[in-house]
Structure formats: structure tokens, C-alpha cells
Amino acid sequence: GQNIDQPTEMTATEGAIVQINCTYQTSGFNGLFWYQQHAGEAPTFLSYNVLDGLEEKGRFSSFLSRSKGYSYLLLKELQMKDSASYLCAVREGAAGNKLTFGGGTRVLVKP
Amino acid sequence: EPEVTQTPSHQVTQMGQEVILRCVPISNHLYFYWYRQILGQKVEFLVSFYNNEISEKSEIFDDQFSVERPDGSNFTLKIRSTKLEDSAMYFCASSERLGTSDIYEQYFGPGTRLTVT
């Protein structure tokens, strides 16, 4: 089976930068996704990595190292609306294309 | 922007009753999924569906669960005899294709909160 670990909670100040780490153990790796989830709402797609390196998308960047089973999501210029849970999810290369999620990291942005 | 829709937003049912959760995936998407999230826990995969058949299912998706695409737009999840532990938020998702080297991210619907009493 898969094992995906990420910190439970992080606190940061408005305007600052926060880095959310995710480690995973899986077979048949076929991509790592980051989703944002506000309380009581659906996950929304943020970023995707399948090759090693950094992907930048506005204020959000995500990094992947397949050899280390490691990814991080970097949130820059934090805004109050960024307070949410951030979910790391690994896609396997099996027929079903399922996503296996970590427990999520709740980020609290303070003024 | 196209989106996945789900009905109802909240369903309350008694233990042992059957429930059907409904989803309308994005119209040009070919792959459909159900996930669930028990309150305070992680999102868990239930089943994926393509070309009118199940592609993959998890251990959670036992004989009490079934999925169907009854027409060209709806995708349903049926739980035959609900248990207390089935109480969760159920998310439907869809993707344009299978991801290989391309993204083909899964788009999630707003969820149906199922409460079994």
C-alpha cells in the first residue's frame, strides 16, 4: 500500500512564506498532486509534478524528488484566504488512476 | 467554467436504508471517481469508472456499494444498506482522460454529506 505523510498543522503570518512537506512511499508512481481544501468544501487542484524539479504557478510552487519520495508545496505572499488544508496526493499508474491522499496540512494564516 | 455537480448536498438516512448519491461529471470527461472523507480524516478513494465499468475499487467499496452511469450525464453511487460508519462526505470527481505523462487532474464536486442515524 501507499504511505503519505505531511505535517498536521502549520501557522504563518500574512505576507510570509510557508513550505509544506510531503513524503511518500508508493509503487507505480505516476504523479503527485497538491490540492487545497477549505473546511466543508471540495478539494481544488493547485499543482502537479511528475518529473523531478520545481513547478511554479503564481504564488504557489511545488517541488518533487522521486528518488527521495519527497515533495513540497511553497506558498508565497500569504493571504488570509490561504487559510485552508493542503492535501498531498499521489497517483498510481494502475488502470484506475486513483489518487491516494495524505492527511492534509491545515495552514492558519494570521494577520 | 465547467464543474462537477452533486445532489443532494446533505442526506440524512436511517441505518439499513438504501441511499443513492448523484453526480453530474464535466461533460467531456471520460473517467469518473468516488471518494469519501469521514469528518476530520483524510480523503479516501472508493472507486473509478470508465467505459461503463469499474476500473479499480478500494477495500472500502464492498458489496454494499455500487456505481452506475444510467444515462449520458449522471453518475451515481448506491449504498444498499447504510451503516453508521458510512457517515461521511462523499465526493464525486471526473477527469478528461487517464493521466500518464500529462496532468489530467481530477475535478471534484462539492460533495454530499451523508449522515446515517
Side-chain angles (χ1 to χ4, degrees):
Chain A
Q2 298 203 32
N3 195 31
I4 301 171
D5 290 315
Q6 48 182 132
T8 306
E9 196 168 286
M10 302 179 76
T11 302
T13 305
E14 195 176 11
I17 298 173
V18 70
Q19 177 174 315
I20 305 169
N21 296 324
C22 172
T23 58
Y24 64 90
Q25 294 171 314
T26 184
S27 56
F29 177 85
N30 189 22
L32 188 142
F33 292 77
W34 285 95
Y35 280 82
Q36 181 191 60
Q37 186 179 31
H38 284 98
E41 297 183 11
T44 55
F45 170 75
L46 286 179
S47 73
Y48 165 77
N49 297 75
V50 69
L51 300 176
D52 291 352
L54 188 68
E55 293 286 336
E56 298 193 76
K57 208 174 176 185
R59 293 190 299 114
F60 298 155
S61 304
S62 58
F63 171 83
L64 176 67
S65 169
R66 288 171 295 170
S67 62
K68 295 182 180 176
Y70 168 70
S71 173
Y72 68 72
L73 178 70
L74 199 67
L75 284 65
K76 303 174 205 169
E77 300 169 18
L78 279 172
Q79 302 174 8
M80 298 299 290
K81 66 178 182 181
D82 296 330
S83 292
S85 286
Y86 292 85
L87 315 182
C88 174
V90 173
R91 182 173 64 194
E92 290 184 86
N97 205 38
K98 71 177 185 182
L99 293 177
T100 300
F101 285 85
T105 299
R106 191 182 314 166
V107 172
L108 177 62
V109 180
K110 293 186 172 178
Chain B
E1 185 175 332
E3 58 183 19
V4 177
T5 59
Q6 291 185 242
T7 54
S9 57
H10 192 187
Q11 174 90 46
V12 181
T13 189
Q14 288 190 325
M15 197 167 51
Q17 295 296 304
E18 174 183 287
V19 293
I20 297 176
L21 310 183
R22 301 179 193 280
C23 168
V24 179
I26 295 173
S27 62
N28 65 332
H29 285 189
L30 301 176
Y31 293 84
F32 315 119
Y33 314 84
W34 284 101
Y35 293 83
R36 79 171 187 191
Q37 186 175 31
I38 295 170
L39 188 63
Q41 298 187 23
K42 62 183 178 181
V43 176
E44 299 175 291
F45 170 79
L46 293 178
V47 67
S48 58
F49 190 87
Y50 167 70
N51 200 25
N52 282 320
E53 59 183 29
I54 290 174
S55 303
E56 188 175 4
K57 59 184 180 180
S58 71
E59 293 174 353
I60 303 168
F61 194 89
D62 61 21
D63 292 345
Q64 293 300 310
F65 290 86
S66 63
V67 289
E68 192 179 28
R69 186 150 164 85
D71 53 43
S73 60
N74 290 284
F75 179 51
T76 62
L77 175 69
K78 181 193 291 185
I79 310 175
R80 288 190 184 82
S81 177
T82 50
K83 308 185 193 75
L84 294 176
E85 54 264 36
D86 293 328
S87 294
M89 182 76 93
Y90 288 80
F91 293 109
C92 174
S94 69
S95 66
E96 190 176 345
R97 295 186 186 174
L98 268 184
T100 50
S101 60
D102 292 325
I103 299 178
Y104 297 129
E105 70 266 31
Q106 294 178 24
Y107 292 82
F108 284 74
T112 293
R113 181 167 299 284
L114 177 66
T115 302
V116 182
T117 60

PDB file of all heavy atoms in Angstrom, chain A residues 74-98:
ATOM      1  N   LEU A  74       5.124  25.261  -1.800  1.00  0.00           N
ATOM      2  CA  LEU A  74       5.573  26.544  -1.275  1.00  0.00           C
ATOM      3  C   LEU A  74       4.494  27.588  -1.555  1.00  0.00           C
ATOM      4  O   LEU A  74       4.085  27.778  -2.700  1.00  0.00           O
ATOM      5  CB  LEU A  74       6.879  26.948  -1.960  1.00  0.00           C
ATOM      6  CG  LEU A  74       7.746  27.986  -1.290  1.00  0.00           C
ATOM      7  CD1 LEU A  74       8.309  27.443   0.021  1.00  0.00           C
ATOM      8  CD2 LEU A  74       8.905  28.390  -2.209  1.00  0.00           C
ATOM      9  N   LEU A  75       4.050  28.239  -0.506  1.00  0.00           N
ATOM     10  CA  LEU A  75       3.050  29.297  -0.652  1.00  0.00           C
ATOM     11  C   LEU A  75       3.724  30.623  -0.299  1.00  0.00           C
ATOM     12  O   LEU A  75       4.207  30.814   0.814  1.00  0.00           O
ATOM     13  CB  LEU A  75       1.874  29.076   0.310  1.00  0.00           C
ATOM     14  CG  LEU A  75       0.845  28.014  -0.009  1.00  0.00           C
ATOM     15  CD1 LEU A  75       1.432  26.619   0.011  1.00  0.00           C
ATOM     16  CD2 LEU A  75      -0.310  28.097   0.977  1.00  0.00           C
ATOM     17  N   LYS A  76       3.754  31.519  -1.262  1.00  0.00           N
ATOM     18  CA  LYS A  76       4.417  32.809  -1.051  1.00  0.00           C
ATOM     19  C   LYS A  76       3.383  33.909  -0.851  1.00  0.00           C
ATOM     20  O   LYS A  76       2.219  33.769  -1.230  1.00  0.00           O
ATOM     21  CB  LYS A  76       5.275  33.161  -2.267  1.00  0.00           C
ATOM     22  CG  LYS A  76       6.313  32.134  -2.632  1.00  0.00           C
ATOM     23  CD  LYS A  76       6.993  32.515  -3.945  1.00  0.00           C
ATOM     24  CE  LYS A  76       7.562  31.295  -4.640  1.00  0.00           C
ATOM     25  NZ  LYS A  76       7.990  31.575  -6.006  1.00  0.00           N
ATOM     26  N   GLU A  77       3.836  35.001  -0.266  1.00  0.00           N
ATOM     27  CA  GLU A  77       2.972  36.190  -0.076  1.00  0.00           C
ATOM     28  C   GLU A  77       1.608  35.775   0.471  1.00  0.00           C
ATOM     29  O   GLU A  77       0.563  36.066  -0.100  1.00  0.00           O
ATOM     30  CB  GLU A  77       2.792  36.938  -1.403  1.00  0.00           C
ATOM     31  CG  GLU A  77       4.097  37.425  -2.003  1.00  0.00           C
ATOM     32  CD  GLU A  77       3.923  37.924  -3.446  1.00  0.00           C
ATOM     33  OE1 GLU A  77       2.772  38.203  -3.853  1.00  0.00           O
ATOM     34  OE2 GLU A  77       4.931  38.003  -4.153  1.00  0.00           O
ATOM     35  N   LEU A  78       1.662  35.101   1.588  1.00  0.00           N
ATOM     36  CA  LEU A  78       0.449  34.516   2.154  1.00  0.00           C
ATOM     37  C   LEU A  78      -0.644  35.559   2.347  1.00  0.00           C
ATOM     38  O   LEU A  78      -0.396  36.677   2.802  1.00  0.00           O
ATOM     39  CB  LEU A  78       0.765  33.853   3.495  1.00  0.00           C
ATOM     40  CG  LEU A  78       1.369  32.461   3.435  1.00  0.00           C
ATOM     41  CD1 LEU A  78       1.803  32.025   4.828  1.00  0.00           C
ATOM     42  CD2 LEU A  78       0.394  31.461   2.855  1.00  0.00           C
ATOM     43  N   GLN A  79      -1.856  35.120   2.034  1.00  0.00           N
ATOM     44  CA  GLN A  79      -3.037  35.941   2.246  1.00  0.00           C
ATOM     45  C   GLN A  79      -3.965  35.213   3.218  1.00  0.00           C
ATOM     46  O   GLN A  79      -3.885  33.988   3.375  1.00  0.00           O
ATOM     47  CB  GLN A  79      -3.746  36.189   0.909  1.00  0.00           C
ATOM     48  CG  GLN A  79      -2.861  36.866  -0.130  1.00  0.00           C
ATOM     49  CD  GLN A  79      -3.520  36.986  -1.486  1.00  0.00           C
ATOM     50  OE1 GLN A  79      -4.702  36.705  -1.662  1.00  0.00           O
ATOM     51  NE2 GLN A  79      -2.749  37.414  -2.483  1.00  0.00           N
ATOM     52  N   MET A  80      -4.844  35.965   3.840  1.00  0.00           N
ATOM     53  CA  MET A  80      -5.754  35.362   4.826  1.00  0.00           C
ATOM     54  C   MET A  80      -6.579  34.243   4.179  1.00  0.00           C
ATOM     55  O   MET A  80      -6.846  33.212   4.809  1.00  0.00           O
ATOM     56  CB  MET A  80      -6.673  36.428   5.430  1.00  0.00           C
ATOM     57  CG  MET A  80      -5.951  37.529   6.181  1.00  0.00           C
ATOM     58  SD  MET A  80      -5.005  36.912   7.593  1.00  0.00           S
ATOM     59  CE  MET A  80      -6.339  36.439   8.676  1.00  0.00           C
ATOM     60  N   LYS A  81      -6.923  34.425   2.916  1.00  0.00           N
ATOM     61  CA  LYS A  81      -7.756  33.415   2.240  1.00  0.00           C
ATOM     62  C   LYS A  81      -7.012  32.099   1.992  1.00  0.00           C
ATOM     63  O   LYS A  81      -7.625  31.106   1.601  1.00  0.00           O
ATOM     64  CB  LYS A  81      -8.265  33.957   0.900  1.00  0.00           C
ATOM     65  CG  LYS A  81      -7.167  34.191  -0.130  1.00  0.00           C
ATOM     66  CD  LYS A  81      -7.747  34.672  -1.448  1.00  0.00           C
ATOM     67  CE  LYS A  81      -6.653  34.852  -2.496  1.00  0.00           C
ATOM     68  NZ  LYS A  81      -7.191  35.330  -3.779  1.00  0.00           N
ATOM     69  N   ASP A  82      -5.692  32.115   2.211  1.00  0.00           N
ATOM     70  CA  ASP A  82      -4.915  30.881   2.048  1.00  0.00           C
ATOM     71  C   ASP A  82      -5.078  29.944   3.240  1.00  0.00           C
ATOM     72  O   ASP A  82      -4.569  28.811   3.209  1.00  0.00           O
ATOM     73  CB  ASP A  82      -3.431  31.197   1.855  1.00  0.00           C
ATOM     74  CG  ASP A  82      -3.164  31.984   0.580  1.00  0.00           C
ATOM     75  OD1 ASP A  82      -3.920  31.807  -0.403  1.00  0.00           O
ATOM     76  OD2 ASP A  82      -2.204  32.794   0.579  1.00  0.00           O
ATOM     77  N   SER A  83      -5.737  30.401   4.284  1.00  0.00           N
ATOM     78  CA  SER A  83      -6.007  29.521   5.418  1.00  0.00           C
ATOM     79  C   SER A  83      -6.920  28.387   4.953  1.00  0.00           C
ATOM     80  O   SER A  83      -8.071  28.611   4.553  1.00  0.00           O
ATOM     81  CB  SER A  83      -6.696  30.297   6.555  1.00  0.00           C
ATOM     82  OG  SER A  83      -5.832  31.231   7.136  1.00  0.00           O
ATOM     83  N   ALA A  84      -6.386  27.174   4.982  1.00  0.00           N
ATOM     84  CA  ALA A  84      -7.090  26.016   4.430  1.00  0.00           C
ATOM     85  C   ALA A  84      -6.255  24.788   4.740  1.00  0.00           C
ATOM     86  O   ALA A  84      -5.156  24.886   5.293  1.00  0.00           O
ATOM     87  CB  ALA A  84      -7.262  26.157   2.915  1.00  0.00           C
ATOM     88  N   SER A  85      -6.764  23.628   4.346  1.00  0.00           N
ATOM     89  CA  SER A  85      -5.955  22.411   4.386  1.00  0.00           C
ATOM     90  C   SER A  85      -5.348  22.172   3.017  1.00  0.00           C
ATOM     91  O   SER A  85      -5.990  22.428   1.995  1.00  0.00           O
ATOM     92  CB  SER A  85      -6.818  21.206   4.778  1.00  0.00           C
ATOM     93  OG  SER A  85      -7.124  21.238   6.145  1.00  0.00           O
ATOM     94  N   TYR A  86      -4.122  21.711   3.006  1.00  0.00           N
ATOM     95  CA  TYR A  86      -3.409  21.428   1.768  1.00  0.00           C
ATOM     96  C   TYR A  86      -3.119  19.935   1.719  1.00  0.00           C
ATOM     97  O   TYR A  86      -2.483  19.392   2.617  1.00  0.00           O
ATOM     98  CB  TYR A  86      -2.141  22.285   1.677  1.00  0.00           C
ATOM     99  CG  TYR A  86      -2.512  23.728   1.513  1.00  0.00           C
ATOM    100  CD1 TYR A  86      -2.802  24.519   2.632  1.00  0.00           C
ATOM    101  CD2 TYR A  86      -2.660  24.303   0.244  1.00  0.00           C
ATOM    102  CE1 TYR A  86      -3.209  25.844   2.480  1.00  0.00           C
ATOM    103  CE2 TYR A  86      -3.062  25.613   0.094  1.00  0.00           C
ATOM    104  CZ  TYR A  86      -3.333  26.379   1.219  1.00  0.00           C
ATOM    105  OH  TYR A  86      -3.745  27.670   1.070  1.00  0.00           O
ATOM    106  N   LEU A  87      -3.619  19.302   0.679  1.00  0.00           N
ATOM    107  CA  LEU A  87      -3.594  17.852   0.573  1.00  0.00           C
ATOM    108  C   LEU A  87      -2.562  17.420  -0.466  1.00  0.00           C
ATOM    109  O   LEU A  87      -2.604  17.875  -1.607  1.00  0.00           O
ATOM    110  CB  LEU A  87      -4.968  17.314   0.154  1.00  0.00           C
ATOM    111  CG  LEU A  87      -6.196  17.882   0.855  1.00  0.00           C
ATOM    112  CD1 LEU A  87      -7.455  17.200   0.331  1.00  0.00           C
ATOM    113  CD2 LEU A  87      -6.099  17.730   2.358  1.00  0.00           C
ATOM    114  N   CYS A  88      -1.693  16.546  -0.051  1.00  0.00           N
ATOM    115  CA  CYS A  88      -0.726  15.920  -0.947  1.00  0.00           C
ATOM    116  C   CYS A  88      -1.355  14.613  -1.416  1.00  0.00           C
ATOM    117  O   CYS A  88      -1.894  13.853  -0.596  1.00  0.00           O
ATOM    118  CB  CYS A  88       0.560  15.664  -0.167  1.00  0.00           C
ATOM    119  SG  CYS A  88       1.835  14.741  -1.003  1.00  0.00           S
ATOM    120  N   ALA A  89      -1.331  14.342  -2.709  1.00  0.00           N
ATOM    121  CA  ALA A  89      -1.962  13.130  -3.231  1.00  0.00           C
ATOM    122  C   ALA A  89      -1.070  12.521  -4.303  1.00  0.00           C
ATOM    123  O   ALA A  89      -0.558  13.221  -5.168  1.00  0.00           O
ATOM    124  CB  ALA A  89      -3.342  13.445  -3.807  1.00  0.00           C
ATOM    125  N   VAL A  90      -0.917  11.220  -4.241  1.00  0.00           N
ATOM    126  CA  VAL A  90      -0.089  10.512  -5.207  1.00  0.00           C
ATOM    127  C   VAL A  90      -0.980   9.700  -6.139  1.00  0.00           C
ATOM    128  O   VAL A  90      -1.930   9.048  -5.697  1.00  0.00           O
ATOM    129  CB  VAL A  90       0.901   9.577  -4.471  1.00  0.00           C
ATOM    130  CG1 VAL A  90       1.652   8.702  -5.457  1.00  0.00           C
ATOM    131  CG2 VAL A  90       1.885  10.406  -3.658  1.00  0.00           C
ATOM    132  N   ARG A  91      -0.678   9.788  -7.408  1.00  0.00           N
ATOM    133  CA  ARG A  91      -1.407   8.993  -8.394  1.00  0.00           C
ATOM    134  C   ARG A  91      -0.561   7.798  -8.782  1.00  0.00           C
ATOM    135  O   ARG A  91       0.630   7.928  -9.057  1.00  0.00           O
ATOM    136  CB  ARG A  91      -1.724   9.828  -9.639  1.00  0.00           C
ATOM    137  CG  ARG A  91      -2.526   9.082 -10.697  1.00  0.00           C
ATOM    138  CD  ARG A  91      -2.948  10.007 -11.826  1.00  0.00           C
ATOM    139  NE  ARG A  91      -1.802  10.537 -12.549  1.00  0.00           N
ATOM    140  CZ  ARG A  91      -1.870  11.565 -13.408  1.00  0.00           C
ATOM    141  NH1 ARG A  91      -3.023  12.161 -13.616  1.00  0.00           N
ATOM    142  NH2 ARG A  91      -0.795  11.982 -14.032  1.00  0.00           N
ATOM    143  N   GLU A  92      -1.196   6.627  -8.817  1.00  0.00           N
ATOM    144  CA  GLU A  92      -0.504   5.432  -9.244  1.00  0.00           C
ATOM    145  C   GLU A  92      -0.754   5.209 -10.722  1.00  0.00           C
ATOM    146  O   GLU A  92      -1.727   5.696 -11.281  1.00  0.00           O
ATOM    147  CB  GLU A  92      -1.018   4.224  -8.461  1.00  0.00           C
ATOM    148  CG  GLU A  92      -0.631   4.220  -7.013  1.00  0.00           C
ATOM    149  CD  GLU A  92      -1.098   2.954  -6.326  1.00  0.00           C
ATOM    150  OE1 GLU A  92      -0.377   1.953  -6.372  1.00  0.00           O
ATOM    151  OE2 GLU A  92      -2.208   2.983  -5.766  1.00  0.00           O
ATOM    152  N   GLY A  93       0.102   4.422 -11.329  1.00  0.00           N
ATOM    153  CA  GLY A  93      -0.036   4.169 -12.750  1.00  0.00           C
ATOM    154  C   GLY A  93      -0.948   3.018 -13.081  1.00  0.00           C
ATOM    155  O   GLY A  93      -0.944   2.517 -14.184  1.00  0.00           O
ATOM    156  N   ALA A  94      -1.743   2.614 -12.113  1.00  0.00           N
ATOM    157  CA  ALA A  94      -2.653   1.489 -12.355  1.00  0.00           C
ATOM    158  C   ALA A  94      -3.819   1.921 -13.231  1.00  0.00           C
ATOM    159  O   ALA A  94      -4.013   3.099 -13.490  1.00  0.00           O
ATOM    160  CB  ALA A  94      -3.160   0.943 -11.028  1.00  0.00           C
ATOM    161  N   ALA A  95      -4.607   0.975 -13.641  1.00  0.00           N
ATOM    162  CA  ALA A  95      -5.689   1.245 -14.579  1.00  0.00           C
ATOM    163  C   ALA A  95      -6.695   2.249 -14.045  1.00  0.00           C
ATOM    164  O   ALA A  95      -7.281   3.016 -14.789  1.00  0.00           O
ATOM    165  CB  ALA A  95      -6.393  -0.057 -14.930  1.00  0.00           C
ATOM    166  N   GLY A  96      -6.883   2.241 -12.753  1.00  0.00           N
ATOM    167  CA  GLY A  96      -7.939   3.072 -12.191  1.00  0.00           C
ATOM    168  C   GLY A  96      -7.581   4.516 -11.993  1.00  0.00           C
ATOM    169  O   GLY A  96      -8.460   5.351 -11.826  1.00  0.00           O
ATOM    170  N   ASN A  97      -6.289   4.845 -12.020  1.00  0.00           N
ATOM    171  CA  ASN A  97      -5.888   6.251 -11.933  1.00  0.00           C
ATOM    172  C   ASN A  97      -6.239   6.881 -10.589  1.00  0.00           C
ATOM    173  O   ASN A  97      -6.424   8.086 -10.498  1.00  0.00           O
ATOM    174  CB  ASN A  97      -6.582   7.046 -13.054  1.00  0.00           C
ATOM    175  CG  ASN A  97      -5.823   8.291 -13.427  1.00  0.00           C
ATOM    176  OD1 ASN A  97      -4.610   8.302 -13.462  1.00  0.00           O
ATOM    177  ND2 ASN A  97      -6.559   9.360 -13.695  1.00  0.00           N
ATOM    178  N   LYS A  98      -6.319   6.084  -9.558  1.00  0.00           N
ATOM    179  CA  LYS A  98      -6.786   6.623  -8.282  1.00  0.00           C
ATOM    180  C   LYS A  98      -5.746   7.555  -7.667  1.00  0.00           C
ATOM    181  O   LYS A  98      -4.549   7.450  -7.896  1.00  0.00           O
ATOM    182  CB  LYS A  98      -7.083   5.493  -7.307  1.00  0.00           C
ATOM    183  CG  LYS A  98      -5.852   4.781  -6.779  1.00  0.00           C
ATOM    184  CD  LYS A  98      -6.230   3.719  -5.760  1.00  0.00           C
ATOM    185  CE  LYS A  98      -4.996   3.101  -5.149  1.00  0.00           C
ATOM    186  NZ  LYS A  98      -5.343   2.019  -4.187  1.00  0.00           N
TER     187      LYS A  98
END
